[in-house]
Amino acid sequence: MDRRTVLKGLAGAGGLALSGGLSAPAIAQGASARTLRFVPQANLANFDPIWGTQYVVRNAAALVWDTLYGIDSSLQPQRQMVESEEVTDDGTTWTFKLRPGLKFHDGEPVLSKDVVASLSRWAARDPMGLMIKALQQELTAVDDRTFKWVLKQPFPKMLYALAKNNSPCAFIMPERIAQTDPFKQIGDYVGSGPMKFAKGEWVPGAKAVFEKFADYVPRQEKASWLAGGKQILIDRVEWIVMPDAATAAAALQNGEVDWWESPIADLVPVLKKNKNISVDIGDPLGNIGSFRMNFLYPPFNDVRARRAVLMAMSQEDYMRAIIGDDNSLWKPLPGFFTPDTPLYSEMGGEILKGKRDLDAAKKLLAESGYSGQPVACLVAQDQPITKAQGDVTADLLKQLGMNVDFVATDWGTVGSRRAAKTPPGQGGWNMFHTWHAGADCINPAPYTAIRANGDKAWFGWPTSAGTEKEVTSWFEAKNLDEEKAAIGRLNKAALDDVVYAPTGFFLSYTAWRKNVSGITKGPLPFFWGVSKTA
Amino acid sequence: MLSYILRRIVATLPVMAIVALFVFSLLYIAPGDPAVVIAGDQASPEDVERIRQGLGLDRPFLIQFGSWVWRILHGDLGTSIFTNLPVSAMIGQRLGPTLSLMTVTLLLTIVVAVPLGVVAAWKAGSFIDRAIMAFAVFGFSLPVFVVGYVLAYIFALELEWLPVQGYTPLTEGFWPWLQNLILPAIALGCVYIALVARITRATMLEVLQQDYIRTARAKGMGQGGILFIHALKNAAVPIVTVIGIGIALLIGGAVVTESVFAIPGLGRLTIDAILRRDYPVIQGIVLLFSFVYVLVNLMIDVTYTLVDPRIRY
């Protein structure tokens, strides 16, 4: 008997009993309608969105710090702290003007010098920021509300870089905080965003509290993701960390919490039966499952071995292992880019489509010269998604006739071991599993996992000249048609060389009590526009 | 007695030093890297290395250990790699919930388990004895999380009597504090109650065979007097020992219980710190737990003198 079996059984029983719904218990009745109690996807263990790039940190930071631009639901950058911008005809000099009346939580006005310091810190850590930094001639404050970024050559994706929601976002901090070494953590959490961080109430691993910032000046436009008017309709947001999914489900059912960011698939049927709870897809951009093969060592240093794995793998097996039987939550993904986004492409995706051909895959694997050496397959058991994928991969490799060295461990160990470039038998590896937020896979800018520049690439260190050529083409594209063409070619090149193995596209739910309204779908939980009745 | 206690406290220092070295070495050679966790899934190896340097994790073992010991000797447990908060402050934040949970569980155990064990011994071989021992086996066999889920389902979801999760400090009132602890204490206490009840029964059975018990009965002493004045007092040493050793079980059990009931205690902090490889926090907690364990052993030894006048130090 394991925890999952028990909680499913109890959840089922609960579901039957609760199908008529439950009124909030007495203990929950006194809760203020001005306080929203939210269960985040993970523990907020640190609170520096430049130093620590975990999604949960980014999500909390979006409440406390504002950005110059914000990405909207059409994936377009929109002005946020900026009132106007100008770029010279040659594309090398950007001049930005801040909105009037912007204030930090300590009452100080937001000035250009704060922006300059913040952008400098961000640019030292962010992949796009590093690209801009490499082209930078100067980044200077012109006056209190105007600053200038002068480049040696044009960078057409400038506004996207400043608006993007991928970690690390270009959050604006006071100069005194932003001057902190980007590889050291800040300890002062003053921003100019719509909510203040109540540092005194922070219990890392248990609770984080945010309070409405009365002096925040929202834009007039309708809110759309990180863009538009961030109207805060509640006084206080309490993030309550709950490591146990069954407890979180029970707490939501009896009104001890109002919103659960990421309910696990096993418990969603129970929540759906409760008349007081709404359940819907949380992030329409979803996630892309993946495993990566190490290009440095046999057998996967040979493209034929990598292709053999792709030919044999069934994305449906992976998705069912992750999601279960809810077919509305997953899609096959014959490519690398997020479905239903402007640049999505299936070019070159034939290898992942249609009936799986195990015999042809075995033949190709034999041609690659594989002769039974152990394949070190790292699988983090403490992450349900990686565990599910790892189990499927182990079976797949065995069917291919490979000798699987299944390394069952925790995510912390996978995270450090995957960085080792030593041979698999000496502390290295052949495969590891992970997944990517769909928001990170809409184009090559934030998409570290698609890069294939050998030693400089992400873990597995893929080399694919074709892929890299098209990344450059995309950055240089002058319009959407050119971008789409580049991405199509990129998708094909990356599949031909098997930069990594996409295991499918999957969505997840979010759940909230019906006395809460204004929750919108997006790549992170947005608290602006959310209100609650008693 | 006072000199004995002082000697014992001094004797704990080398134990603590060995524990400290062992834990530090274990963490040093264990796989995993906090810099990787901090940097996030998309970080480059260069970024991870810069963070490692920033945290001082690239320094040789002896230098890292030496500087940690130096800080400990100055009363500084260090700073969490992740939160940038002092470890002592983080432990302080989490001590209240864990102590509360352990105290309530301990009281519940003593109040329930000892009388159950005494009654089972008194009614040895009867249906009541078998029922109590069956309950003990049942309680001993069920994992904490199963009991926790069942209790939460019945008392929080179905009956709506108690909250599912969380912790309210005692400063906010006795009942709010207690109502958050009832279910977790029962869940955590099940194994403990079963263990103490069985030991109490076994010890009492042995004592009840003694000549002085027969003499007391012959003199016409009542059953209550025999059980609770003569027998229980003479059976107390093994029971106290088990209760003391059980505190270690409680520390381990608190890890799971605090996760199930979302109690922000030391158990959860330990798990979080281990998963993130937050070395200073892990070291701080292990030192604290080992100190508590040594202290509990000392308290048990001192308690012996209270329940058995023949024991002298």
Side-chain angles (χ1 to χ4, degrees):
Chain A
M1 179 163 55
D2 61 11
R3 291 168 73 100
R4 192 171 177 180
T5 310
V6 171
L7 74 88
K8 278 180 82 168
L10 287 172
L16 291 172
L18 298 167
S19 54
L22 273 177
S23 56
I27 53 159
Q29 297 289 13
S32 165
R34 307 297 299 168
T35 297
L36 186 83
R37 293 155 308 172
F38 172 77
V39 181
Q41 55 172 273
N43 164 26
L44 184 68
N46 75 79
F47 200 32
D48 182 342
I50 307 298
W51 180 77
T53 56
Q54 303 94 324
Y55 294 131
V56 69
V57 178
R58 184 265 325 258
N59 297 353
L63 281 168
V64 174
W65 288 283
D66 214 344
T67 49
L68 298 169
Y69 292 82
I71 208 89
D72 69 7
S73 58
S74 319
L75 305 176
Q76 295 305 307
Q78 304 294 347
R79 292 171 189 155
Q80 186 53 237
M81 293 172 79
V82 161
E83 182 182 77
S84 62
E85 71 283 314
E86 284 177 17
V87 59
T88 52
D89 290 342
D90 65 358
T92 59
T93 302
W94 290 84
T95 307
F96 302 89
K97 189 166 190 178
L98 294 170
R99 284 198 286 145
L102 298 176
K103 267 189 198 171
F104 285 116
H105 301 156
D106 58 3
E108 293 296 316
V110 179
L111 303 174
S112 297
K113 63 175 185 166
D114 302 306
V115 176
V116 168
S118 299
L119 291 178
S120 300
R121 187 169 191 254
W122 164 80
R125 292 296 308 274
D126 180 71
M128 285 188 93
L130 285 164
M131 292 170 88
I132 299 171
K133 200 176 166 188
L135 303 174
Q136 180 178 308
Q137 198 163 300
E138 63 169 352
L139 171 60
T140 51
V142 176
D143 60 37
D144 280 354
R145 280 180 53 204
T146 314
F147 65 98
K148 195 165 61 170
W149 214 335
V150 184
L151 309 176
K152 293 169 195 154
Q153 63 187 67
F155 187 77
K157 302 290 189 287
M158 171 66 85
L159 298 188
Y160 179 81
L162 298 177
K164 70 182 181 65
N165 59 291
N166 322 95
S167 283
C169 300
F171 290 116
I172 304 305
M173 302 176 177
E175 184 187 41
R176 64 186 158 80
I177 300 172
Q179 282 172 335
T180 307
D181 178 339
F183 292 90
K184 293 213 166 87
Q185 197 181 163
I186 62 170
D188 194 353
Y189 310 111
V190 172
S192 65
M195 298 198 94
K196 295 183 290 185
F197 183 59
K199 188 181 174 182
E201 294 188 62
W202 184 28
V203 182
K207 191 178 181 182
V209 177
F210 307 87
E211 291 165 338
K212 183 176 179 174
F213 177 42
D215 288 342
Y216 181 72
V217 186
R219 293 189 73 89
Q220 294 308 301
E221 300 93 333
K222 188 172 176 289
S224 173
W225 287 12
L226 289 166
K230 299 174 181 175
Q231 303 277 0
I232 298 293
L233 308 175
I234 37 189
D235 292 340
R236 192 177 150 94
V237 175
E238 290 180 2
W239 282 31
I240 300 162
V241 179
M242 287 198 201
D244 191 283
T247 305
L252 185 70
Q253 286 174 86
N254 74 353
E256 288 178 50
V257 296
D258 305 306
W259 180 7
W260 182 13
E261 185 182 3
S262 305
I264 61 170
D266 291 339
L267 294 171
V268 165
V270 179
L271 300 176
K272 280 183 171 176
K273 284 176 185 168
N274 189 304
K275 68 175 184 184
N276 296 315
I277 293 173
S278 298
V279 180
D280 201 351
I281 298 299
D283 175 7
L285 298 178
N287 302 278
I288 292 174
S290 112
F291 62 85
R292 295 180 73 87
M293 294 173 266
N294 192 337
F295 276 55
L296 302 184
Y297 297 103
F300 299 125
N301 59 344
D302 189 310
V303 69
R304 289 169 297 184
R306 299 196 301 271
R307 282 188 191 150
V309 174
L310 241 59
M311 281 169 75
M313 70 182 277
S314 158
Q315 290 188 330
E316 182 174 349
D317 290 350
Y318 281 95
M319 292 298 102
R320 290 205 181 284
I322 294 171
I323 293 297
D325 298 329
D326 191 341
N327 287 334
S328 66
L329 285 181
W330 70 273
K331 286 180 182 178
L333 184 67
F336 297 96
F337 291 89
T338 308
D340 305 318
T341 58
L343 299 178
Y344 176 72
S345 172
E346 294 186 8
M347 201 179 289
E350 293 72 23
I351 195 167
L352 287 166
K353 292 179 179 174
K355 193 173 177 296
R356 306 289 76 203
D357 192 342
L358 197 62
D359 292 336
K362 281 179 176 174
K363 189 164 169 278
L364 192 60
L365 183 64
E367 285 172 22
S368 77
Y370 177 72
S371 54
Q373 62 266 48
V375 174
C377 179
L378 309 184
V379 183
Q381 302 288 302
D382 56 336
Q383 303 275 346
I385 293 171
T386 56
K387 185 187 181 303
Q389 292 186 105
D391 291 344
V392 176
T393 298
D395 181 60
L396 168 71
L397 298 183
K398 282 173 189 162
Q399 285 187 56
L400 278 168
M402 296 181 106
N403 175 7
V404 185
D405 174 17
F406 190 85
V407 183
T409 181
D410 69 323
W411 182 247
T413 303
V414 171
S416 55
R417 186 165 168 181
R418 70 184 178 179
K421 289 185 177 178
T422 49
Q426 296 167 37
W429 55 279
N430 291 111
M431 298 176 100
F432 82 89
H433 299 77
T434 185
W435 75 98
H436 309 292
D440 290 348
C441 308
I442 56 173
N443 65 47
Y447 203 165
T448 315
I450 200 69
R451 299 303 299 271
N453 43 350
D455 256 4
K456 290 182 180 168
W458 207 50
F459 309 105
W461 309 282
T463 301
S464 168
T467 303
E468 281 301 294
K469 178 171 170 278
E470 300 308 338
V471 168
T472 306
S473 301
W474 179 82
F475 270 105
E476 290 170 352
K478 293 175 181 65
N479 55 51
L480 186 61
D481 287 341
E482 283 186 23
E483 287 189 32
K484 282 181 175 175
I487 293 297
R489 295 190 300 270
L490 191 161
N491 200 66
K492 184 176 186 312
L495 278 166
D496 287 347
D497 292 333
V498 196
V499 168
Y500 78 80
T503 60
F505 172 79
F506 60 97
L507 295 156
S508 54
Y509 286 110
T510 192
W512 65 95
R513 289 189 65 82
K514 285 187 175 164
N515 62 334
V516 175
S517 55
I519 289 173
T520 53
K521 294 179 183 181
L524 56 144
F526 298 114
F527 293 87
W528 30 95
V530 174
S531 60
K532 180 184 163 188
T533 53
Chain B
M1 174 61 79
L2 189 64
S3 69
Y4 168 77
I5 291 172
L6 286 173
R7 276 202 317 275
R8 284 287 301 267
I9 287 172
V10 170
T12 65
L13 295 177
V15 174
M16 300 289 289
I18 291 164
V19 167
L21 178 62
F22 179 73
V23 170
F24 199 95
S25 309
L26 207 62
L27 289 174
Y28 189 84
I29 59 171
D33 185 345
V36 167
V37 184
I38 291 159
D41 209 28
Q42 307 294 318
S44 68
E46 291 76 20
D47 282 359
V48 172
E49 192 49 40
R50 284 282 304 273
I51 290 169
R52 292 188 89 250
Q53 287 167 6
L55 296 169
L57 296 171
D58 58 330
R59 294 179 302 168
F61 171 81
L62 284 176
I63 292 175
Q64 286 188 52
F65 182 67
S67 81
W68 180 65
V69 169
W70 184 250
R71 282 200 311 269
I72 296 284
L73 292 173
H74 288 78
D76 176 11
L77 288 174
T79 304
S80 161
I81 285 171
F82 283 82
T83 64
N84 216 15
L85 297 170
V87 172
S88 52
M90 289 178 74
I91 289 174
Q93 271 182 328
R94 305 301 196 96
L95 206 53
T98 300
L99 281 179
S100 298
L101 176 61
M102 286 173 70
T103 304
V104 173
T105 307
L106 202 59
L107 289 172
L108 183 75
T109 301
I110 293 166
V111 166
V112 174
V114 175
L116 278 180
V118 170
V119 169
W122 176 37
K123 299 283 184 186
S126 70
F127 170 76
I128 292 172
D129 175 31
R130 282 198 293 272
I132 290 170
M133 284 306 100
F135 165 77
V137 170
F138 193 66
F140 204 78
S141 310
L142 277 178
V144 169
F145 69 88
V146 174
V147 180
Y149 290 147
V150 171
L151 290 173
Y153 174 67
I154 295 169
F155 295 101
L157 278 181
E158 280 294 287
L159 299 173
E160 300 175 30
W161 290 352
L162 294 163
V164 169
Q165 55 80 41
Y167 170 77
T168 308
L170 190 53
T171 51
E172 290 182 30
F174 179 74
W175 174 239
W177 170 79
L178 187 63
Q179 70 172 359
N180 270 115
L181 293 168
I182 293 172
L183 297 183
I186 296 171
L188 177 57
C190 268
V191 172
Y192 203 33
I193 288 168
L195 178 70
V196 175
R198 285 172 69 94
I199 295 292
T200 304
R201 177 185 178 273
T203 317
M204 286 288 288
L205 277 176
E206 198 178 317
V207 170
L208 288 171
Q209 308 302 317
Q210 301 297 314
D211 289 347
Y212 60 85
I213 297 291
R214 203 174 305 121
T215 305
R217 279 207 183 99
K219 285 164 65 181
M221 192 177 213
Q223 197 64 254
I226 290 170
L227 286 174
F228 291 98
I229 295 171
H230 286 293
L232 188 58
K233 200 169 177 183
N234 282 288
V237 169
I239 295 169
V240 167
T241 306
V242 170
I243 287 172
I245 290 168
I247 288 175
L249 284 180
L250 280 186
I251 290 171
V255 172
V256 178
T257 313
E258 287 175 4
S259 290
V260 169
F261 290 95
I263 295 169
L266 280 171
R268 263 178 68 190
L269 182 63
T270 309
I271 290 289
D272 289 344
I274 289 169
L275 289 175
R276 289 197 310 258
R277 310 294 196 272
D278 198 342
Y279 300 144
V281 175
I282 300 169
Q283 287 149 3
I285 292 170
V286 171
L287 269 187
L288 174 76
F289 282 163
S290 27
F291 181 69
V292 166
Y293 200 59
V294 167
L295 208 65
V296 165
N297 276 318
L298 176 60
M299 282 166 64
I300 292 167
D301 289 348
V302 171
T303 309
Y304 289 162
T305 64
L306 303 177
V307 297
D308 190 344
R310 293 169 301 179
I311 297 172
R312 287 271 182 277
Y313 297 119

